[in-house]
Amino acid sequence: MTQADLDLLSINTIRTLSIDAVQQANSGHPGTPMALAPLVYTIWNRMMNFDPADPIWPNRDRFVLSNGHASMLLWSVLFLTRTQAVNADYEILGKPSVTLDDIKRFRQIGSKAPGHPEYHLVSGVETTTGPLGQGIATSVGMAIAQKWLANRYNRPGFDIFDYNIYAVCGDGCMMEGVGSEAASIAGHLALDNLCWIYDNNHITIEGHTSITFTEDIAARFLGYGWNVLRVGDANDLGLIQNSLEVFRKTKGRPTFIILDSHIGYGSPHKQDTSAAHGEPLGEEEVRLVKRVYGWPEDAKFLVPDGVMDHFAAGIGARGKAAHEAWSALFAAYRTAFPDLATEIDQMQTRRLPEGWDRNLPVFAADPKGIAGRDASSKVLNVLAQNIPWLLGGSADLGTSNKTVLTFPGAGDFEPDNYGGRNFHYGIREHSMAAIVNGMSLSKLRAYGATFFIFSDYARPAIRLSALMELPTIFIFSHDAMGDGEDGPTHQPVEQLASLRAMPGLVLIRPADANEVVEAYRTIMQLRHEPAALVVSRQALPTFDRSKYASAAGVSKGAYVLAGGETATPDAIIIATGSEVTLAIDAHEDLLKQGICTRVVSMPSWDIFEHQSQEYRDSVLPPSVTRRVAVEQGSTFGWERYVGTAGKIIGMKTFGASAPLKELQKHFGFEPDHVVDAVKELVGKA
């Protein structure tokens, strides 16, 4: 059998596995795998440096399937290349990542071939791509990470990090705004290690793209500063390979390859139609397609002899050789640069360096206090000096949310300085969060920041971060009404409740500067959860910790700040963030009136819910049902802590435009209002 015969046999194996899996599941997208099998085959078996025997070695090329509905492309090549499974402790398990049985159970519970690429479920998947556009946006973060890693760690003769990122995308990725944002910043940053291949098949679910999408896509990417290439035949392996080789030689700009393809290639009745996009072909059409491919018409899930060996001789041998050469290079590097090698080891396994929390500030009691964002800035700048791979930036608000790293040498990440620690995302919250995910997937400890209200723009990527179990950090300032005059469009009301509803996301809203310190101490030790730190714009009093409990209680999610000496207080006041001060003021006033209350600072529902029942009951004794919750946000959800007999002082409407003190008075966020609520509960109103 000739090389060309083996190529075609391998491509048609990818196609037919995809067709059969979708047909058996009676669910899925067969048309794109049928069209893009030659592309994916060429990337994997001819171009990528990827070792199937160790799919997480640090210098591997990355492959991102942004049009993730075509996931059978990925499951097919992971199976055919015998890519190995790796567990959460970075151990190779000695079994395949994806088996033929998984493919036969495509889209079924427990299968390692789910409907879309899932990073946390399947080894060899570089990112959960989820909604269209997120994959390509995440790939920009991967490209940024490679540039930063190379700048910090490469030395003459030691190219430890020199990998490339290949991302396959479709019309949906081009239409979604997050893709546009990401393309714009990638062009600005001149990320020449990044290649997007655009499946130009002119079809979406509703029909031909001419009904919605008629722009000049090539001109658009030229405007972004990309190198734009075109391959007019998606079945021409030589043209595909040549374009990818041009990408690898192109310097100073990312590459965008327009690949003209036929969705449902080979289907006599469904090629180039939306019918091939989102539903099985049907048994009869499957037989007809296989006839076109020269395939046994009634064979299902057929893997002909020689196909897997062909992949082993291609990507298997090439990846093994590249990996072995890198390992030898890194061994020599470890001898020459032991400290840097140790950093790489720690980073790759998400461990923190020794002394990572040294010199963290301790804030003295101060009734005037300090803004949460300012305390955050002080802590962040200490941590970033202790943890060299802690870096990030803001969506054009760095000086306002105080996330700029100001220590000597921090610098700005720009095309002429890939070693900078400060990232400027422009006004692009959507892509910023996705880029943070890409950096985290590359093992950097990345953060992104903006005003809390704009977390709505970043939310899709935050959700994917939680789904992937990434230790990303999202810093949100202006947590409530502190920017008063900007009005309700800038005042977050439902965002706390909304993000608390997201599984796996650790949300922390600290009450004073020392709670900010402890929040960071908790966040930095997370390995499999993203965190949202929500801090104030305005100054908050710094509590006297000799009078009140230690801020170390933040690590438990909630703790008794005041009134803990009484096992059964008359009432409990629970608060977060800036409202903890209100609770303390009310507590002191009530004491003078002979009413004993307990103040519970509850910066994180999620962390608190993960504590033992014994601890939770010690903070919120079940016998004390007279409870008041205070928070400048939606009252939604607080019933779980105050019960039907309690009261919630919160927001049931949007805010208003006025100075902060007027807003607090208008919406009832004053100590007297809390006092009245408690007195009503204890029958002393």
Side-chain angles (χ1 to χ4, degrees):
M1 189 176 291
T2 67
Q3 180 72 30
D5 290 336
L6 280 171
D7 290 340
L8 184 57
L9 190 67
S10 300
I11 290 166
N12 284 337
T13 301
I14 295 171
R15 284 170 167 155
T16 55
L17 284 175
S18 301
I19 292 169
D20 288 341
V22 171
Q23 191 63 40
Q24 181 147 305
N26 197 29
S27 173
H29 303 259
T32 301
M34 295 162 72
L36 294 187
L39 168 69
V40 172
Y41 168 81
T42 304
I43 293 174
W44 280 70
N45 214 35
R46 293 188 178 183
M47 302 299 296
M48 277 210 318
N49 281 329
F50 176 88
D51 184 3
D54 185 356
I56 62 169
W57 71 285
N59 200 41
R60 69 192 181 279
D61 287 342
R62 269 64 166 177
F63 175 81
V64 175
L65 187 66
S66 191
N67 44 350
H69 53 269
S71 61
M72 271 309 307
L73 281 168
L74 193 48
W75 310 142
S76 296
V77 293
L78 289 177
F79 164 64
L80 293 172
T81 58
R82 298 185 177 96
T83 296
Q84 295 295 292
V86 182
N87 67 15
D89 293 320
Y90 312 103
E91 298 168 332
I92 299 172
L93 300 180
K95 64 180 183 179
S97 170
V98 177
T99 66
L100 187 59
D101 186 57
D102 288 319
I103 289 173
K104 290 178 179 178
R105 294 185 299 111
F106 176 53
R107 290 186 165 225
Q108 307 307 304
I109 195 75
S111 172
K112 294 295 185 180
H116 285 73
E118 299 288 358
Y119 167 79
H120 64 305
L121 290 180
V122 190
S123 302
V125 176
E126 298 290 357
T127 179
T128 296
T129 45
L132 293 174
Q134 285 289 331
I136 50 175
T138 303
S139 76
V140 174
M142 295 176 179
I144 287 172
Q146 187 278 323
K147 291 293 188 183
W148 189 88
L149 290 165
N151 184 278
R152 178 167 181 82
Y153 296 108
N154 288 2
R155 294 293 185 271
F158 291 97
D159 287 338
I160 302 301
F161 294 103
D162 63 351
Y163 57 86
N164 292 310
I165 297 91
Y166 301 86
V168 177
C169 53
D171 289 303
C173 298
M174 294 298 100
M175 295 187 208
E176 292 284 4
V178 66
S180 300
E181 288 184 11
S184 175
I185 197 166
H188 164 73
L189 291 173
L191 300 175
D192 53 22
N193 55 352
L194 178 63
C195 180
W196 290 1
I197 304 97
Y198 164 47
D199 176 24
N200 184 34
N201 63 34
H202 303 290
I203 296 294
T204 61
I205 288 176
E206 291 187 358
H208 199 280
T209 53
S210 60
I211 63 175
T212 58
F213 193 55
T214 53
E215 65 195 48
D216 187 336
I217 195 76
R220 176 175 144 197
F221 273 77
L222 286 170
Y224 288 146
W226 290 56
N227 181 36
V228 178
L229 307 173
R230 189 168 207 126
V231 174
D233 181 0
N235 290 304
D236 191 322
L237 305 189
L239 287 176
I240 293 171
Q241 183 169 344
N242 181 67
S243 68
L244 295 173
E245 288 172 348
V246 170
F247 150 62
R248 296 205 298 198
K249 295 174 183 176
T250 298
K251 302 301 178 186
R253 49 184 175 164
T255 294
F256 184 72
I257 300 172
I258 302 172
L259 181 72
D260 295 328
S261 72
H262 296 280
I263 194 169
Y265 175 78
S267 175
H269 303 107
K270 297 188 177 183
Q271 178 175 312
D272 295 328
T273 72
S274 58
H277 180 83
E279 60 188 34
L281 297 176
E283 293 288 356
E284 181 57 32
E285 191 72 9
V286 168
R287 282 191 286 271
L288 294 175
V289 170
K290 289 179 177 177
R291 184 183 303 170
V292 171
Y293 294 162
W295 211 256
E297 294 178 25
D298 294 321
K300 293 185 178 180
F301 302 102
L302 174 63
V303 181
D305 292 343
V307 168
M308 297 185 79
D309 289 342
H310 184 53
F311 277 100
I315 189 172
R318 185 178 62 255
K320 180 182 179 181
H323 186 187
E324 288 177 346
W326 183 88
S327 296
L329 182 70
F330 190 64
Y333 180 86
R334 187 184 300 280
T335 299
F337 308 102
D339 292 343
L340 293 178
T342 297
E343 284 187 16
I344 293 171
D345 291 339
Q346 292 169 332
M347 192 189 329
Q348 290 300 314
T349 52
R350 299 200 188 281
R351 290 178 289 131
L352 295 169
E354 185 177 349
W356 66 270
D357 59 349
R358 65 182 181 274
N359 301 324
L360 286 177
V362 176
F363 293 91
D366 184 353
K368 292 184 179 180
I370 181 175
R373 59 176 176 170
D374 290 318
S376 170
S377 176
K378 293 179 183 297
V379 178
L380 195 59
N381 269 276
V382 171
L383 288 171
Q385 292 178 76
N386 295 341
I387 307 169
W389 54 94
L390 174 62
L391 38 74
S394 177
D396 198 53
L397 294 169
T399 55
S400 189
N401 53 41
K402 307 300 175 110
T403 51
V404 178
L405 300 178
T406 56
F407 56 86
D412 295 328
F413 186 93
E414 288 290 339
D416 59 352
N417 180 26
Y418 285 140
R421 305 275 293 278
N422 288 297
F423 291 80
H424 302 284
Y425 292 104
I427 307 165
R428 303 184 182 99
E429 294 90 352
H430 299 77
S431 64
M432 174 186 72
I435 289 168
V436 167
N437 285 349
M439 294 166 71
S440 179
L441 286 161
S442 308
K443 303 302 177 67
L444 300 181
R445 201 64 192 274
Y447 64 84
T450 185
F451 291 173
F452 191 33
I453 191 68
F454 303 139
S455 64
D456 288 347
Y457 276 15
R459 184 184 175 88
I462 297 173
R463 183 177 187 271
L464 289 183
S465 192
L467 190 59
M468 290 188 278
E469 302 176 356
L470 300 178
T472 47
I473 304 169
F474 299 98
I475 303 168
F476 300 117
S477 68
H478 297 58
D479 65 334
M481 294 183 183
D483 55 349
E485 291 88 344
D486 278 339
T489 61
H490 280 55
Q491 293 163 2
V493 171
E494 74 280 13
Q495 282 68 28
L496 285 167
S498 175
L499 289 179
R500 282 172 179 149
M502 188 178 292
L505 176 67
V506 176
L507 185 147
I508 306 179
R509 186 180 182 227
D512 76 344
N514 287 308
E515 281 202 4
V516 171
V517 175
E518 296 306 317
Y520 271 108
R521 197 187 303 275
T522 297
I523 287 168
M524 294 311 303
Q525 295 179 78
L526 298 175
R527 296 181 68 201
H528 300 292
E529 303 90 5
L533 179 66
V534 185
V535 294
S536 71
R537 175 200 187 196
Q538 75 277 17
L540 302 179
T542 304
F543 298 121
D544 182 350
R545 297 292 172 169
S546 65
K547 179 178 181 181
Y548 302 114
S550 166
V554 169
S555 67
K556 302 272 189 189
Y559 65 103
V560 180
L561 178 62
E565 62 278 358
T566 303
T568 55
D570 296 321
I572 298 175
I573 307 171
I574 314 169
T576 76
S578 53
E579 290 72 69
V580 176
T581 297
L582 296 183
I584 287 292
D585 289 346
H587 165 78
E588 298 292 352
D589 192 350
L590 287 162
L591 274 179
K592 295 175 183 176
Q593 300 181 48
I595 299 173
C596 178
T597 61
R598 169 180 291 189
V599 175
V600 172
S601 176
M602 187 177 280
S604 177
W605 289 17
D606 179 79
I607 297 175
F608 184 63
E609 291 296 331
H610 282 84
Q611 304 308 308
S612 68
Q613 187 66 53
E614 181 182 11
Y615 177 78
R616 284 180 283 154
D617 288 347
S618 73
V619 175
L620 300 174
S623 61
V624 183
T625 59
R626 293 183 292 268
R627 302 177 181 181
V628 177
V630 192
E631 185 172 69
Q632 280 186 30
S634 169
T635 60
F636 184 84
W638 275 107
E639 299 86 355
R640 71 166 63 186
Y641 296 118
V642 303
T644 56
K647 290 183 174 294
I648 307 169
I649 299 173
M651 295 295 292
K652 295 184 179 179
T653 66
F654 292 109
S657 177
L660 175 58
K661 289 186 178 180
E662 291 184 24
L663 289 171
Q664 290 172 327
K665 181 177 181 180
H666 179 76
F667 288 105
F669 294 103
E670 293 186 310
D672 289 348
H673 193 58
V674 180
V675 167
D676 291 344
V678 171
K679 290 172 71 175
E680 186 177 339
L681 285 179
V682 300
K684 295 185 179 181

